Amino acid sequence: MVYQRFLPQFSKKYPGINLILEEKLEKDLFEELDEGKVDFVVANGPVNNKRYIEQKICNEEMILCVPKHNDLICNDNKLDLNSLSGKPMIVLNNNQFIQSQVNRLFKDNNILQQKTIECRNIITQIAMVEEGIGYAIVPSIVDCRFLESKNICFYRIKQLTPIREIYIYYLKDHYLNNASKYLVSLISNMEGTK
């Protein structure tokens, strides 16, 4: 999620509100939502749980993040996944939905995925790519945050990639205060996410 798109507007309207952003595995976030420890969750979906109200935010495709200096051949800003066969990959933990999509993408295209480092965070993945340690497949929403980097490039993938649907979830029977409602509306209506 690109927080800088909505946090300034939220802070301007509610300057006295302390906002806590939790980044965890989805199962842990939904557990906290069920227990009333968080007001809402932004996650993959749909989950089709009758306890939740869910609002779709956006679709995002998977893209390739590579070190600036690489030996991959790019055509029309798209890279063929076959060019990654045997290349070092920075991957997420297999328990994470994104990584299961990436694993399926490699499997469906009969491409060997050479895992170099496994981490739990997309930002860590990209930092390792910046250092030239390997390559990563990440959600497209992150590329706008790292466009200023001189050490990485983002490419679309030639093969059909999975599309991730992102939703906001909150409990039907849980009261959302005005600040939370406003934040949900800002996230739901982010420019360029529909």
PDB file of all heavy atoms in Angstrom, residues 1 3 10 15 41 43 53 71 86 118 144 153 168 184 194:
ATOM      1  N   MET A   1       0.846  -1.185   0.000  1.00  0.00           N
ATOM      2  CA  MET A   1       0.000   0.000   0.000  1.00  0.00           C
ATOM      3  C   MET A   1       0.885   1.240   0.000  1.00  0.00           C
ATOM      4  O   MET A   1       1.870   1.288   0.727  1.00  0.00           O
ATOM      5  CB  MET A   1      -0.869  -0.024   1.260  1.00  0.00           C
ATOM      6  CG  MET A   1      -1.852   1.094   1.354  1.00  0.00           C
ATOM      7  SD  MET A   1      -3.023   1.168   0.011  1.00  0.00           S
ATOM      8  CE  MET A   1      -3.788  -0.401   0.113  1.00  0.00           C
ATOM      9  N   TYR A   3       1.232   4.463   1.305  1.00  0.00           N
ATOM     10  CA  TYR A   3       0.644   5.265   2.372  1.00  0.00           C
ATOM     11  C   TYR A   3       0.726   6.762   2.110  1.00  0.00           C
ATOM     12  O   TYR A   3      -0.157   7.510   2.524  1.00  0.00           O
ATOM     13  CB  TYR A   3       1.324   4.950   3.700  1.00  0.00           C
ATOM     14  CG  TYR A   3       1.273   3.485   4.059  1.00  0.00           C
ATOM     15  CD1 TYR A   3       2.416   2.715   4.083  1.00  0.00           C
ATOM     16  CD2 TYR A   3       0.060   2.887   4.358  1.00  0.00           C
ATOM     17  CE1 TYR A   3       2.355   1.363   4.405  1.00  0.00           C
ATOM     18  CE2 TYR A   3      -0.014   1.547   4.674  1.00  0.00           C
ATOM     19  CZ  TYR A   3       1.139   0.789   4.698  1.00  0.00           C
ATOM     20  OH  TYR A   3       1.070  -0.533   5.010  1.00  0.00           O
ATOM     21  N   PHE A  10      -5.268  12.681   5.553  1.00  0.00           N
ATOM     22  CA  PHE A  10      -5.861  12.226   6.805  1.00  0.00           C
ATOM     23  C   PHE A  10      -5.326  13.052   7.982  1.00  0.00           C
ATOM     24  O   PHE A  10      -6.094  13.518   8.827  1.00  0.00           O
ATOM     25  CB  PHE A  10      -5.573  10.732   7.033  1.00  0.00           C
ATOM     26  CG  PHE A  10      -6.085  10.237   8.352  1.00  0.00           C
ATOM     27  CD1 PHE A  10      -7.416   9.900   8.513  1.00  0.00           C
ATOM     28  CD2 PHE A  10      -5.236  10.112   9.444  1.00  0.00           C
ATOM     29  CE1 PHE A  10      -7.907   9.459   9.739  1.00  0.00           C
ATOM     30  CE2 PHE A  10      -5.707   9.670  10.667  1.00  0.00           C
ATOM     31  CZ  PHE A  10      -7.043   9.344  10.815  1.00  0.00           C
ATOM     32  N   PRO A  15      -5.522  15.959  12.902  1.00  0.00           N
ATOM     33  CA  PRO A  15      -4.133  16.122  13.351  1.00  0.00           C
ATOM     34  C   PRO A  15      -3.843  15.494  14.716  1.00  0.00           C
ATOM     35  O   PRO A  15      -2.702  15.157  15.007  1.00  0.00           O
ATOM     36  CB  PRO A  15      -3.945  17.644  13.393  1.00  0.00           C
ATOM     37  CG  PRO A  15      -5.326  18.193  13.550  1.00  0.00           C
ATOM     38  CD  PRO A  15      -6.230  17.233  12.828  1.00  0.00           C
ATOM     39  N   VAL A  41      -8.741  -3.903   7.993  1.00  0.00           N
ATOM     40  CA  VAL A  41      -7.597  -4.579   7.387  1.00  0.00           C
ATOM     41  C   VAL A  41      -7.611  -4.302   5.892  1.00  0.00           C
ATOM     42  O   VAL A  41      -8.671  -4.318   5.270  1.00  0.00           O
ATOM     43  CB  VAL A  41      -7.670  -6.109   7.641  1.00  0.00           C
ATOM     44  CG1 VAL A  41      -6.673  -6.866   6.793  1.00  0.00           C
ATOM     45  CG2 VAL A  41      -7.480  -6.423   9.120  1.00  0.00           C
ATOM     46  N   ALA A  43      -6.159  -6.039   2.614  1.00  0.00           N
ATOM     47  CA  ALA A  43      -5.573  -7.345   2.287  1.00  0.00           C
ATOM     48  C   ALA A  43      -6.078  -7.844   0.932  1.00  0.00           C
ATOM     49  O   ALA A  43      -6.963  -7.256   0.324  1.00  0.00           O
ATOM     50  CB  ALA A  43      -5.922  -8.346   3.383  1.00  0.00           C
ATOM     51  N   ILE A  53     -17.551  -6.454   6.184  1.00  0.00           N
ATOM     52  CA  ILE A  53     -17.893  -5.623   5.036  1.00  0.00           C
ATOM     53  C   ILE A  53     -16.591  -5.509   4.260  1.00  0.00           C
ATOM     54  O   ILE A  53     -15.537  -5.238   4.835  1.00  0.00           O
ATOM     55  CB  ILE A  53     -18.390  -4.229   5.479  1.00  0.00           C
ATOM     56  CG1 ILE A  53     -19.727  -4.368   6.211  1.00  0.00           C
ATOM     57  CG2 ILE A  53     -18.489  -3.288   4.271  1.00  0.00           C
ATOM     58  CD1 ILE A  53     -20.236  -3.084   6.824  1.00  0.00           C
ATOM     59  N   ASP A  71      21.802  -8.556 -17.228  1.00  0.00           N
ATOM     60  CA  ASP A  71      21.993  -9.096 -18.578  1.00  0.00           C
ATOM     61  C   ASP A  71      20.689  -9.593 -19.206  1.00  0.00           C
ATOM     62  O   ASP A  71      20.701 -10.381 -20.135  1.00  0.00           O
ATOM     63  CB  ASP A  71      23.028 -10.221 -18.549  1.00  0.00           C
ATOM     64  CG  ASP A  71      22.622 -11.373 -17.645  1.00  0.00           C
ATOM     65  OD1 ASP A  71      21.574 -11.267 -16.970  1.00  0.00           O
ATOM     66  OD2 ASP A  71      23.349 -12.386 -17.614  1.00  0.00           O
ATOM     67  N   GLY A  86      17.108 -20.028 -13.324  1.00  0.00           N
ATOM     68  CA  GLY A  86      18.404 -20.194 -12.679  1.00  0.00           C
ATOM     69  C   GLY A  86      19.005 -18.928 -12.106  1.00  0.00           C
ATOM     70  O   GLY A  86      20.067 -18.958 -11.501  1.00  0.00           O
ATOM     71  N   GLU A 118      15.141 -15.614   1.298  1.00  0.00           N
ATOM     72  CA  GLU A 118      13.721 -15.517   1.626  1.00  0.00           C
ATOM     73  C   GLU A 118      13.561 -14.471   2.718  1.00  0.00           C
ATOM     74  O   GLU A 118      14.302 -14.459   3.695  1.00  0.00           O
ATOM     75  CB  GLU A 118      13.224 -16.877   2.128  1.00  0.00           C
ATOM     76  CG  GLU A 118      11.751 -16.907   2.437  1.00  0.00           C
ATOM     77  CD  GLU A 118      11.290 -18.291   2.860  1.00  0.00           C
ATOM     78  OE1 GLU A 118      11.441 -19.245   2.067  1.00  0.00           O
ATOM     79  OE2 GLU A 118      10.785 -18.411   4.004  1.00  0.00           O
ATOM     80  N   CYS A 144       5.988   2.943  -8.066  1.00  0.00           N
ATOM     81  CA  CYS A 144       5.958   4.405  -7.987  1.00  0.00           C
ATOM     82  C   CYS A 144       6.791   4.914  -6.810  1.00  0.00           C
ATOM     83  O   CYS A 144       7.333   6.004  -6.853  1.00  0.00           O
ATOM     84  CB  CYS A 144       4.532   4.925  -7.904  1.00  0.00           C
ATOM     85  SG  CYS A 144       3.626   4.355  -6.474  1.00  0.00           S
ATOM     86  N   CYS A 153      15.326  -1.289 -11.748  1.00  0.00           N
ATOM     87  CA  CYS A 153      14.373  -1.057 -12.840  1.00  0.00           C
ATOM     88  C   CYS A 153      13.164  -1.963 -12.610  1.00  0.00           C
ATOM     89  O   CYS A 153      13.295  -3.034 -12.009  1.00  0.00           O
ATOM     90  CB  CYS A 153      14.974  -1.431 -14.184  1.00  0.00           C
ATOM     91  SG  CYS A 153      16.412  -0.496 -14.659  1.00  0.00           S
ATOM     92  N   ILE A 168     -10.524  -3.579   1.433  1.00  0.00           N
ATOM     93  CA  ILE A 168     -10.564  -3.155   2.835  1.00  0.00           C
ATOM     94  C   ILE A 168     -11.660  -3.984   3.493  1.00  0.00           C
ATOM     95  O   ILE A 168     -12.750  -4.146   2.925  1.00  0.00           O
ATOM     96  CB  ILE A 168     -10.926  -1.665   2.982  1.00  0.00           C
ATOM     97  CG1 ILE A 168      -9.815  -0.782   2.443  1.00  0.00           C
ATOM     98  CG2 ILE A 168     -11.205  -1.323   4.440  1.00  0.00           C
ATOM     99  CD1 ILE A 168     -10.126   0.687   2.550  1.00  0.00           C
ATOM    100  N   VAL A 184     -10.916   5.026   5.757  1.00  0.00           N
ATOM    101  CA  VAL A 184     -11.419   3.984   4.847  1.00  0.00           C
ATOM    102  C   VAL A 184     -11.839   4.612   3.521  1.00  0.00           C
ATOM    103  O   VAL A 184     -11.526   4.097   2.448  1.00  0.00           O
ATOM    104  CB  VAL A 184     -12.585   3.191   5.488  1.00  0.00           C
ATOM    105  CG1 VAL A 184     -13.339   2.372   4.452  1.00  0.00           C
ATOM    106  CG2 VAL A 184     -12.071   2.289   6.611  1.00  0.00           C
ATOM    107  N   LYS A 194      -8.521   2.363  -9.081  1.00  0.00           N
ATOM    108  CA  LYS A 194      -9.728   1.648  -9.534  1.00  0.00           C
ATOM    109  C   LYS A 194      -9.513   0.998 -10.864  1.00  0.00           C
ATOM    110  O   LYS A 194      -8.740   1.426 -11.667  1.00  0.00           O
ATOM    111  CB  LYS A 194     -10.921   2.602  -9.602  1.00  0.00           C
ATOM    112  CG  LYS A 194     -11.326   3.130  -8.252  1.00  0.00           C
ATOM    113  CD  LYS A 194     -11.947   2.070  -7.422  1.00  0.00           C
ATOM    114  CE  LYS A 194     -12.368   2.591  -6.062  1.00  0.00           C
ATOM    115  NZ  LYS A 194     -12.807   1.627  -5.157  1.00  0.00           N
TER     116      LYS A 194
END
